[in-house]
Amino acid sequence: MRVLLLEDDADLAEVVAMGLRNESYAVDVATTYAAAEEALRLTIYDVACLDLGLPDGDGLDLVRRLGSDPDLRRPRRVLVVTARDAVADRVAGLDSGADDYLVKPFEFAELTARLRALARRADEAGATLNTGDLTLDLATRRAWRGGVELRLTAREFSLLRFFMHHPGRVLSAEELLEHVWDANADPFTTSVRVILSRLRKKLGDPPPIVTITGAGYRLGEPS
């Protein structure tokens, strides 16, 4: 899952981003309204976590624009994370287009729980994905093949989840980097190949993910 974290406190942003990356979220950090605006022009995020009190603008204005500005690529879900705790502020945030509202200070476990809940709500297929004999439970982050549970790392789970969102489609290494990793990932890295190799080994035979020479990788039959 790729997340945009807009937080004007650079130290807090770094701590939260590090924690999310340790949970295998792909996180891009913005500390100003302008930087978040630029990121939202270039990338479609699964979730945007947006602070409201910013040095160069009001995050609530950005939330509103996500629903109307054609130059911005609306994330699948929007989570407001702010110190504004009045009921009127919560109502304004949700009425402006946010899907959820989290008040600072917060426990990191609650943030990750809310991100998981938003991911389930954004998934049109519900809390479970099925492709062939593969099953993913998005709520518990568990995976099975042919009824046998797979022991996947968080990154392996995220990679398989992305494949299962696009069964039969050829996905390039660049596309996998964009959606499963974040802007800090080196485009020339071998991490996609390494993690994919580990995932394939755990999935077993016959291999459900095949290499398409010169193009990328595909899960299942062509659509």
Side-chain angles (χ1 to χ4, degrees), residues 1-2 44 46 76 123 129 131 136 138 155-181 199 209 217 219:
M1 178 190 294
R2 190 160 183 179
I44 297 178
D46 294 294
R76 299 176 76 192
D123 190 342
L129 294 178
T131 300
L136 287 190
L138 302 177
R155 182 73 72 191
E156 291 163 354
F157 184 93
S158 297
L159 185 58
L160 182 57
R161 177 177 179 267
F162 189 70
F163 271 108
M164 291 180 68
H165 274 300
H166 305 91
R169 200 179 118 197
V170 177
L171 303 173
S172 68
E174 291 78 10
E175 192 169 3
L176 296 175
L177 269 174
E178 179 180 355
H179 291 278
V180 183
W181 281 261
L199 175 60
I209 299 174
Y217 310 93
L219 171 67

mmCIF file of all heavy atoms in Angstrom, residues 1-2 44 46 76 123 129 131 136 138 155-181 199 209 217 219:
data_model
loop_
_atom_site.group_PDB
_atom_site.id
_atom_site.type_symbol
_atom_site.label_atom_id
_atom_site.label_comp_id
_atom_site.label_asym_id
_atom_site.label_seq_id
_atom_site.Cartn_x
_atom_site.Cartn_y
_atom_site.Cartn_z
ATOM 1 N N MET A 1 0.847 -1.187 0.000
ATOM 2 C CA MET A 1 0.000 0.000 0.000
ATOM 3 C C MET A 1 0.888 1.243 0.000
ATOM 4 O O MET A 1 1.796 1.362 0.812
ATOM 5 C CB MET A 1 -0.900 0.012 1.244
ATOM 6 C CG MET A 1 -1.776 1.244 1.331
ATOM 7 S SD MET A 1 -2.626 1.390 2.917
ATOM 8 C CE MET A 1 -3.694 -0.027 2.793
ATOM 9 N N ARG A 2 0.607 2.155 -0.912
ATOM 10 C CA ARG A 2 1.396 3.387 -0.981
ATOM 11 C C ARG A 2 0.651 4.519 -0.290
ATOM 12 O O ARG A 2 -0.521 4.777 -0.566
ATOM 13 C CB ARG A 2 1.698 3.759 -2.434
ATOM 14 C CG ARG A 2 2.732 4.900 -2.529
ATOM 15 C CD ARG A 2 3.388 4.949 -3.867
ATOM 16 N NE ARG A 2 4.414 5.985 -3.924
ATOM 17 C CZ ARG A 2 5.169 6.246 -4.979
ATOM 18 N NH1 ARG A 2 5.013 5.527 -6.084
ATOM 19 N NH2 ARG A 2 6.074 7.186 -4.955
ATOM 20 N N ILE A 44 -0.960 8.281 -7.772
ATOM 21 C CA ILE A 44 -2.216 7.850 -7.161
ATOM 22 C C ILE A 44 -1.860 7.043 -5.911
ATOM 23 O O ILE A 44 -1.205 5.996 -5.996
ATOM 24 C CB ILE A 44 -3.057 6.997 -8.119
ATOM 25 C CG1 ILE A 44 -3.456 7.816 -9.355
ATOM 26 C CG2 ILE A 44 -4.304 6.483 -7.412
ATOM 27 C CD1 ILE A 44 -4.240 7.034 -10.377
ATOM 28 N N ASP A 46 -2.845 4.952 -2.311
ATOM 29 C CA ASP A 46 -3.912 4.165 -1.700
ATOM 30 C C ASP A 46 -4.569 4.960 -0.583
ATOM 31 O O ASP A 46 -5.794 4.984 -0.459
ATOM 32 C CB ASP A 46 -3.357 2.848 -1.164
ATOM 33 C CG ASP A 46 -2.866 1.944 -2.277
ATOM 34 O OD1 ASP A 46 -3.699 1.492 -3.074
ATOM 35 O OD2 ASP A 46 -1.652 1.715 -2.366
ATOM 36 N N ARG A 76 -7.253 6.706 -3.065
ATOM 37 C CA ARG A 76 -8.412 5.834 -2.869
ATOM 38 C C ARG A 76 -9.112 6.174 -1.560
ATOM 39 O O ARG A 76 -10.336 6.099 -1.463
ATOM 40 C CB ARG A 76 -7.981 4.368 -2.890
ATOM 41 C CG ARG A 76 -7.355 3.943 -4.218
ATOM 42 C CD ARG A 76 -6.843 2.515 -4.163
ATOM 43 N NE ARG A 76 -7.926 1.548 -4.236
ATOM 44 C CZ ARG A 76 -7.772 0.248 -3.973
ATOM 45 N NH1 ARG A 76 -6.596 -0.211 -3.595
ATOM 46 N NH2 ARG A 76 -8.794 -0.578 -4.085
ATOM 47 N N ASP A 123 -11.207 -1.575 -1.034
ATOM 48 C CA ASP A 123 -11.123 -2.763 -1.868
ATOM 49 C C ASP A 123 -12.521 -3.181 -2.297
ATOM 50 O O ASP A 123 -13.332 -3.617 -1.499
ATOM 51 C CB ASP A 123 -10.457 -3.891 -1.084
ATOM 52 C CG ASP A 123 -10.121 -5.084 -1.945
ATOM 53 O OD1 ASP A 123 -10.693 -5.198 -3.049
ATOM 54 O OD2 ASP A 123 -9.288 -5.892 -1.528
ATOM 55 N N LEU A 129 -9.573 -11.573 -1.020
ATOM 56 C CA LEU A 129 -9.267 -11.664 -2.444
ATOM 57 C C LEU A 129 -9.045 -13.125 -2.796
ATOM 58 O O LEU A 129 -8.424 -13.869 -2.040
ATOM 59 C CB LEU A 129 -7.996 -10.870 -2.782
ATOM 60 C CG LEU A 129 -8.037 -9.353 -2.632
ATOM 61 C CD1 LEU A 129 -6.662 -8.768 -2.974
ATOM 62 C CD2 LEU A 129 -9.096 -8.739 -3.527
ATOM 63 N N THR A 131 -7.845 -15.596 -6.187
ATOM 64 C CA THR A 131 -7.388 -15.800 -7.560
ATOM 65 C C THR A 131 -6.913 -17.237 -7.678
ATOM 66 O O THR A 131 -5.939 -17.641 -7.029
ATOM 67 C CB THR A 131 -6.222 -14.849 -7.916
ATOM 68 O OG1 THR A 131 -6.654 -13.490 -7.769
ATOM 69 C CG2 THR A 131 -5.781 -15.068 -9.363
ATOM 70 N N LEU A 136 -6.416 -14.330 -0.058
ATOM 71 C CA LEU A 136 -5.847 -13.358 0.876
ATOM 72 C C LEU A 136 -6.960 -12.827 1.763
ATOM 73 O O LEU A 136 -8.009 -12.420 1.261
ATOM 74 C CB LEU A 136 -5.207 -12.168 0.143
ATOM 75 C CG LEU A 136 -3.895 -12.333 -0.600
ATOM 76 C CD1 LEU A 136 -3.382 -10.960 -1.008
ATOM 77 C CD2 LEU A 136 -2.871 -13.055 0.225
ATOM 78 N N LEU A 138 -7.588 -9.734 3.841
ATOM 79 C CA LEU A 138 -7.000 -8.414 4.017
ATOM 80 C C LEU A 138 -7.136 -7.914 5.448
ATOM 81 O O LEU A 138 -6.345 -7.081 5.888
ATOM 82 C CB LEU A 138 -7.655 -7.422 3.050
ATOM 83 C CG LEU A 138 -7.545 -7.799 1.570
ATOM 84 C CD1 LEU A 138 -8.281 -6.778 0.713
ATOM 85 C CD2 LEU A 138 -6.093 -7.905 1.131
ATOM 86 N N ARG A 155 6.096 -7.380 3.347
ATOM 87 C CA ARG A 155 6.373 -6.951 1.971
ATOM 88 C C ARG A 155 5.898 -7.989 0.965
ATOM 89 O O ARG A 155 5.320 -7.646 -0.074
ATOM 90 C CB ARG A 155 7.866 -6.688 1.788
ATOM 91 C CG ARG A 155 8.243 -6.185 0.398
ATOM 92 C CD ARG A 155 7.808 -4.746 0.182
ATOM 93 N NE ARG A 155 8.632 -3.833 0.950
ATOM 94 C CZ ARG A 155 8.370 -2.536 1.128
ATOM 95 N NH1 ARG A 155 7.285 -2.007 0.578
ATOM 96 N NH2 ARG A 155 9.168 -1.777 1.842
ATOM 97 N N GLU A 156 6.114 -9.262 1.253
ATOM 98 C CA GLU A 156 5.642 -10.323 0.365
ATOM 99 C C GLU A 156 4.120 -10.290 0.254
ATOM 100 O O GLU A 156 3.562 -10.461 -0.829
ATOM 101 C CB GLU A 156 6.115 -11.686 0.871
ATOM 102 C CG GLU A 156 7.618 -11.899 0.741
ATOM 103 C CD GLU A 156 8.126 -13.033 1.604
ATOM 104 O OE1 GLU A 156 7.350 -13.596 2.408
ATOM 105 O OE2 GLU A 156 9.335 -13.355 1.486
ATOM 106 N N PHE A 157 3.451 -10.063 1.388
ATOM 107 C CA PHE A 157 1.991 -9.973 1.380
ATOM 108 C C PHE A 157 1.531 -8.804 0.507
ATOM 109 O O PHE A 157 0.605 -8.937 -0.293
ATOM 110 C CB PHE A 157 1.459 -9.812 2.808
ATOM 111 C CG PHE A 157 -0.042 -9.806 2.908
ATOM 112 C CD1 PHE A 157 -0.733 -10.981 3.149
ATOM 113 C CD2 PHE A 157 -0.753 -8.631 2.750
ATOM 114 C CE1 PHE A 157 -2.125 -10.980 3.232
ATOM 115 C CE2 PHE A 157 -2.138 -8.616 2.822
ATOM 116 C CZ PHE A 157 -2.824 -9.806 3.065
ATOM 117 N N SER A 158 2.183 -7.648 0.666
ATOM 118 C CA SER A 158 1.811 -6.470 -0.121
ATOM 119 C C SER A 158 2.017 -6.711 -1.612
ATOM 120 O O SER A 158 1.195 -6.279 -2.444
ATOM 121 C CB SER A 158 2.630 -5.260 0.332
ATOM 122 O OG SER A 158 2.344 -4.932 1.673
ATOM 123 N N LEU A 159 3.100 -7.399 -1.947
ATOM 124 C CA LEU A 159 3.377 -7.683 -3.351
ATOM 125 C C LEU A 159 2.329 -8.639 -3.928
ATOM 126 O O LEU A 159 1.787 -8.401 -5.025
ATOM 127 C CB LEU A 159 4.777 -8.282 -3.487
ATOM 128 C CG LEU A 159 5.298 -8.542 -4.902
ATOM 129 C CD1 LEU A 159 5.314 -7.270 -5.730
ATOM 130 C CD2 LEU A 159 6.699 -9.148 -4.840
ATOM 131 N N LEU A 160 2.014 -9.694 -3.188
ATOM 132 C CA LEU A 160 1.006 -10.638 -3.658
ATOM 133 C C LEU A 160 -0.360 -9.958 -3.751
ATOM 134 O O LEU A 160 -1.125 -10.202 -4.697
ATOM 135 C CB LEU A 160 0.938 -11.844 -2.728
ATOM 136 C CG LEU A 160 -0.056 -12.942 -3.117
ATOM 137 C CD1 LEU A 160 0.226 -13.479 -4.519
ATOM 138 C CD2 LEU A 160 -0.027 -14.074 -2.095
ATOM 139 N N ARG A 161 -0.664 -9.098 -2.804
ATOM 140 C CA ARG A 161 -1.930 -8.360 -2.829
ATOM 141 C C ARG A 161 -2.052 -7.544 -4.110
ATOM 142 O O ARG A 161 -3.118 -7.507 -4.745
ATOM 143 C CB ARG A 161 -2.021 -7.453 -1.598
ATOM 144 C CG ARG A 161 -3.268 -6.570 -1.533
ATOM 145 C CD ARG A 161 -3.261 -5.780 -0.232
ATOM 146 N NE ARG A 161 -4.414 -4.917 -0.121
ATOM 147 C CZ ARG A 161 -4.443 -3.652 -0.510
ATOM 148 N NH1 ARG A 161 -3.372 -3.095 -1.047
ATOM 149 N NH2 ARG A 161 -5.540 -2.931 -0.374
ATOM 150 N N PHE A 162 -0.963 -6.884 -4.509
ATOM 151 C CA PHE A 162 -1.025 -6.067 -5.727
ATOM 152 C C PHE A 162 -1.239 -6.951 -6.953
ATOM 153 O O PHE A 162 -2.020 -6.615 -7.839
ATOM 154 C CB PHE A 162 0.253 -5.240 -5.870
ATOM 155 C CG PHE A 162 0.174 -4.223 -6.975
ATOM 156 C CD1 PHE A 162 -0.638 -3.115 -6.857
ATOM 157 C CD2 PHE A 162 0.898 -4.388 -8.150
ATOM 158 C CE1 PHE A 162 -0.738 -2.175 -7.882
ATOM 159 C CE2 PHE A 162 0.812 -3.469 -9.176
ATOM 160 C CZ PHE A 162 -0.012 -2.359 -9.040
ATOM 161 N N PHE A 163 -0.548 -8.086 -7.006
ATOM 162 C CA PHE A 163 -0.774 -9.013 -8.115
ATOM 163 C C PHE A 163 -2.230 -9.471 -8.153
ATOM 164 O O PHE A 163 -2.840 -9.566 -9.226
ATOM 165 C CB PHE A 163 0.143 -10.243 -7.987
ATOM 166 C CG PHE A 163 1.484 -10.093 -8.636
ATOM 167 C CD1 PHE A 163 2.626 -9.956 -7.870
ATOM 168 C CD2 PHE A 163 1.612 -10.094 -10.021
ATOM 169 C CE1 PHE A 163 3.878 -9.816 -8.468
ATOM 170 C CE2 PHE A 163 2.849 -9.959 -10.621
ATOM 171 C CZ PHE A 163 3.987 -9.819 -9.852
ATOM 172 N N MET A 164 -2.799 -9.756 -6.976
ATOM 173 C CA MET A 164 -4.159 -10.286 -6.944
ATOM 174 C C MET A 164 -5.211 -9.229 -7.227
ATOM 175 O O MET A 164 -6.355 -9.552 -7.533
ATOM 176 C CB MET A 164 -4.411 -10.986 -5.606
ATOM 177 C CG MET A 164 -3.608 -12.274 -5.484
ATOM 178 S SD MET A 164 -3.859 -13.171 -3.924
ATOM 179 C CE MET A 164 -5.565 -13.713 -4.116
ATOM 180 N N HIS A 165 -4.819 -7.979 -7.151
ATOM 181 C CA HIS A 165 -5.712 -6.909 -7.604
ATOM 182 C C HIS A 165 -5.726 -6.824 -9.141
ATOM 183 O O HIS A 165 -6.628 -6.216 -9.717
ATOM 184 C CB HIS A 165 -5.267 -5.557 -7.044
ATOM 185 C CG HIS A 165 -5.807 -5.262 -5.678
ATOM 186 N ND1 HIS A 165 -7.151 -5.184 -5.394
ATOM 187 C CD2 HIS A 165 -5.172 -5.021 -4.500
ATOM 188 C CE1 HIS A 165 -7.331 -4.894 -4.124
ATOM 189 N NE2 HIS A 165 -6.142 -4.799 -3.552
ATOM 190 N N HIS A 166 -4.703 -7.428 -9.784
ATOM 191 C CA HIS A 166 -4.573 -7.335 -11.250
ATOM 192 C C HIS A 166 -4.300 -8.708 -11.863
ATOM 193 O O HIS A 166 -3.301 -8.898 -12.559
ATOM 194 C CB HIS A 166 -3.440 -6.365 -11.621
ATOM 195 C CG HIS A 166 -3.600 -4.998 -11.013
ATOM 196 N ND1 HIS A 166 -3.051 -4.667 -9.793
ATOM 197 C CD2 HIS A 166 -4.266 -3.905 -11.447
ATOM 198 C CE1 HIS A 166 -3.359 -3.409 -9.513
ATOM 199 N NE2 HIS A 166 -4.101 -2.932 -10.488
ATOM 200 N N PRO A 167 -5.164 -9.683 -11.625
ATOM 201 C CA PRO A 167 -4.917 -11.031 -12.168
ATOM 202 C C PRO A 167 -4.936 -11.041 -13.692
ATOM 203 O O PRO A 167 -5.766 -10.368 -14.324
ATOM 204 C CB PRO A 167 -6.079 -11.859 -11.592
ATOM 205 C CG PRO A 167 -7.161 -10.860 -11.344
ATOM 206 C CD PRO A 167 -6.457 -9.603 -10.921
ATOM 207 N N GLY A 168 -3.989 -11.779 -14.270
ATOM 208 C CA GLY A 168 -3.936 -11.894 -15.722
ATOM 209 C C GLY A 168 -3.267 -10.741 -16.428
ATOM 210 O O GLY A 168 -3.084 -10.786 -17.650
ATOM 211 N N ARG A 169 -2.886 -9.699 -15.688
ATOM 212 C CA ARG A 169 -2.267 -8.535 -16.300
ATOM 213 C C ARG A 169 -0.757 -8.576 -16.120
ATOM 214 O O ARG A 169 -0.267 -8.978 -15.059
ATOM 215 C CB ARG A 169 -2.807 -7.256 -15.646
ATOM 216 C CG ARG A 169 -2.606 -6.014 -16.506
ATOM 217 C CD ARG A 169 -3.179 -4.797 -15.819
ATOM 218 N NE ARG A 169 -2.126 -3.837 -15.544
ATOM 219 C CZ ARG A 169 -2.232 -2.834 -14.690
ATOM 220 N NH1 ARG A 169 -3.316 -2.648 -14.009
ATOM 221 N NH2 ARG A 169 -1.223 -2.013 -14.508
ATOM 222 N N VAL A 170 -0.015 -8.188 -17.148
ATOM 223 C CA VAL A 170 1.442 -8.141 -17.056
ATOM 224 C C VAL A 170 1.837 -6.868 -16.316
ATOM 225 O O VAL A 170 1.459 -5.761 -16.716
ATOM 226 C CB VAL A 170 2.101 -8.183 -18.447
ATOM 227 C CG1 VAL A 170 3.623 -8.068 -18.310
ATOM 228 C CG2 VAL A 170 1.732 -9.468 -19.171
ATOM 229 N N LEU A 171 2.582 -7.027 -15.229
ATOM 230 C CA LEU A 171 3.016 -5.901 -14.399
ATOM 231 C C LEU A 171 4.530 -5.769 -14.502
ATOM 232 O O LEU A 171 5.258 -6.724 -14.254
ATOM 233 C CB LEU A 171 2.612 -6.128 -12.941
ATOM 234 C CG LEU A 171 1.116 -6.348 -12.688
ATOM 235 C CD1 LEU A 171 0.873 -6.725 -11.232
ATOM 236 C CD2 LEU A 171 0.320 -5.103 -13.049
ATOM 237 N N SER A 172 4.985 -4.580 -14.870
ATOM 238 C CA SER A 172 6.420 -4.347 -14.995
ATOM 239 C C SER A 172 7.049 -4.167 -13.625
ATOM 240 O O SER A 172 6.368 -3.860 -12.631
ATOM 241 C CB SER A 172 6.683 -3.102 -15.838
ATOM 242 O OG SER A 172 6.243 -1.936 -15.149
ATOM 243 N N ALA A 173 8.373 -4.336 -13.568
ATOM 244 C CA ALA A 173 9.099 -4.113 -12.316
ATOM 245 C C ALA A 173 8.918 -2.671 -11.853
ATOM 246 O O ALA A 173 8.803 -2.394 -10.658
ATOM 247 C CB ALA A 173 10.579 -4.437 -12.500
ATOM 248 N N GLU A 174 8.869 -1.737 -12.807
ATOM 249 C CA GLU A 174 8.686 -0.323 -12.471
ATOM 250 C C GLU A 174 7.331 -0.087 -11.822
ATOM 251 O O GLU A 174 7.200 0.683 -10.868
ATOM 252 C CB GLU A 174 8.829 0.552 -13.723
ATOM 253 C CG GLU A 174 10.227 0.627 -14.298
ATOM 254 C CD GLU A 174 10.600 -0.620 -15.104
ATOM 255 O OE1 GLU A 174 9.704 -1.451 -15.380
ATOM 256 O OE2 GLU A 174 11.793 -0.760 -15.443
ATOM 257 N N GLU A 175 6.296 -0.756 -12.339
ATOM 258 C CA GLU A 175 4.957 -0.604 -11.778
ATOM 259 C C GLU A 175 4.891 -1.186 -10.370
ATOM 260 O O GLU A 175 4.266 -0.609 -9.472
ATOM 261 C CB GLU A 175 3.937 -1.294 -12.686
ATOM 262 C CG GLU A 175 2.502 -0.959 -12.374
ATOM 263 C CD GLU A 175 1.556 -1.452 -13.452
ATOM 264 O OE1 GLU A 175 2.018 -2.109 -14.413
ATOM 265 O OE2 GLU A 175 0.346 -1.173 -13.331
ATOM 266 N N LEU A 176 5.548 -2.318 -10.170
ATOM 267 C CA LEU A 176 5.587 -2.909 -8.837
ATOM 268 C C LEU A 176 6.322 -1.992 -7.864
ATOM 269 O O LEU A 176 5.893 -1.809 -6.718
ATOM 270 C CB LEU A 176 6.257 -4.278 -8.885
ATOM 271 C CG LEU A 176 5.526 -5.348 -9.714
ATOM 272 C CD1 LEU A 176 6.365 -6.619 -9.780
ATOM 273 C CD2 LEU A 176 4.156 -5.644 -9.140
ATOM 274 N N LEU A 177 7.426 -1.400 -8.315
ATOM 275 C CA LEU A 177 8.152 -0.451 -7.472
ATOM 276 C C LEU A 177 7.272 0.732 -7.094
ATOM 277 O O LEU A 177 7.270 1.190 -5.952
ATOM 278 C CB LEU A 177 9.401 0.063 -8.198
ATOM 279 C CG LEU A 177 10.711 -0.691 -7.993
ATOM 280 C CD1 LEU A 177 11.786 -0.130 -8.910
ATOM 281 C CD2 LEU A 177 11.160 -0.628 -6.543
ATOM 282 N N GLU A 178 6.499 1.227 -8.052
ATOM 283 C CA GLU A 178 5.681 2.418 -7.812
ATOM 284 C C GLU A 178 4.590 2.159 -6.788
ATOM 285 O O GLU A 178 4.270 3.018 -5.970
ATOM 286 C CB GLU A 178 5.050 2.892 -9.123
ATOM 287 C CG GLU A 178 4.164 4.123 -8.947
ATOM 288 C CD GLU A 178 3.540 4.580 -10.247
ATOM 289 O OE1 GLU A 178 3.851 4.012 -11.305
ATOM 290 O OE2 GLU A 178 2.715 5.512 -10.180
ATOM 291 N N HIS A 179 4.005 0.971 -6.806
ATOM 292 C CA HIS A 179 2.835 0.718 -5.968
ATOM 293 C C HIS A 179 3.139 -0.030 -4.680
ATOM 294 O O HIS A 179 2.377 0.088 -3.711
ATOM 295 C CB HIS A 179 1.785 -0.056 -6.769
ATOM 296 C CG HIS A 179 1.161 0.758 -7.849
ATOM 297 N ND1 HIS A 179 0.123 1.642 -7.615
ATOM 298 C CD2 HIS A 179 1.425 0.852 -9.174
ATOM 299 C CE1 HIS A 179 -0.226 2.237 -8.745
ATOM 300 N NE2 HIS A 179 0.550 1.770 -9.704
ATOM 301 N N VAL A 180 4.211 -0.804 -4.635
ATOM 302 C CA VAL A 180 4.496 -1.599 -3.444
ATOM 303 C C VAL A 180 5.652 -1.005 -2.645
ATOM 304 O O VAL A 180 5.760 -1.227 -1.445
ATOM 305 C CB VAL A 180 4.790 -3.071 -3.821
ATOM 306 C CG1 VAL A 180 5.006 -3.926 -2.578
ATOM 307 C CG2 VAL A 180 3.636 -3.638 -4.643
ATOM 308 N N TRP A 181 6.509 -0.245 -3.306
ATOM 309 C CA TRP A 181 7.591 0.465 -2.636
ATOM 310 C C TRP A 181 7.239 1.953 -2.620
ATOM 311 O O TRP A 181 6.085 2.316 -2.836
ATOM 312 C CB TRP A 181 8.917 0.188 -3.343
ATOM 313 C CG TRP A 181 9.522 -1.143 -2.982
ATOM 314 C CD1 TRP A 181 10.515 -1.381 -2.078
ATOM 315 C CD2 TRP A 181 9.183 -2.446 -3.527
ATOM 316 N NE1 TRP A 181 10.807 -2.728 -2.020
ATOM 317 C CE2 TRP A 181 10.017 -3.412 -2.882
ATOM 318 C CE3 TRP A 181 8.254 -2.895 -4.475
ATOM 319 C CZ2 TRP A 181 9.942 -4.767 -3.166
ATOM 320 C CZ3 TRP A 181 8.174 -4.253 -4.755
ATOM 321 C CH2 TRP A 181 9.006 -5.174 -4.116
ATOM 322 N N LEU A 199 8.835 -14.800 -2.661
ATOM 323 C CA LEU A 199 7.395 -15.037 -2.702
ATOM 324 C C LEU A 199 7.076 -16.258 -3.552
ATOM 325 O O LEU A 199 6.287 -17.125 -3.145
ATOM 326 C CB LEU A 199 6.683 -13.800 -3.258
ATOM 327 C CG LEU A 199 5.175 -13.934 -3.486
ATOM 328 C CD1 LEU A 199 4.447 -14.248 -2.184
ATOM 329 C CD2 LEU A 199 4.622 -12.648 -4.109
ATOM 330 N N ILE A 209 2.870 -17.154 -10.465
ATOM 331 C CA ILE A 209 3.399 -15.909 -11.038
ATOM 332 C C ILE A 209 4.474 -16.277 -12.043
ATOM 333 O O ILE A 209 5.457 -16.936 -11.704
ATOM 334 C CB ILE A 209 3.989 -14.998 -9.938
ATOM 335 C CG1 ILE A 209 2.911 -14.601 -8.927
ATOM 336 C CG2 ILE A 209 4.610 -13.743 -10.565
ATOM 337 C CD1 ILE A 209 3.440 -13.819 -7.736
ATOM 338 N N TYR A 217 5.848 -9.397 -15.129
ATOM 339 C CA TYR A 217 5.374 -10.589 -14.438
ATOM 340 C C TYR A 217 3.844 -10.641 -14.489
ATOM 341 O O TYR A 217 3.186 -9.607 -14.510
ATOM 342 C CB TYR A 217 5.845 -10.594 -12.984
ATOM 343 C CG TYR A 217 7.335 -10.334 -12.846
ATOM 344 C CD1 TYR A 217 7.802 -9.021 -12.640
ATOM 345 C CD2 TYR A 217 8.259 -11.352 -12.907
ATOM 346 C CE1 TYR A 217 9.164 -8.760 -12.522
ATOM 347 C CE2 TYR A 217 9.619 -11.100 -12.784
ATOM 348 C CZ TYR A 217 10.064 -9.817 -12.601
ATOM 349 O OH TYR A 217 11.404 -9.559 -12.495
ATOM 350 N N LEU A 219 0.316 -12.783 -12.842
ATOM 351 C CA LEU A 219 -0.330 -13.761 -11.980
ATOM 352 C C LEU A 219 -1.533 -14.337 -12.710
ATOM 353 O O LEU A 219 -2.430 -13.604 -13.119
ATOM 354 C CB LEU A 219 -0.791 -13.107 -10.681
ATOM 355 C CG LEU A 219 -1.678 -13.991 -9.771
ATOM 356 C CD1 LEU A 219 -0.878 -15.154 -9.212
ATOM 357 C CD2 LEU A 219 -2.285 -13.163 -8.632
#
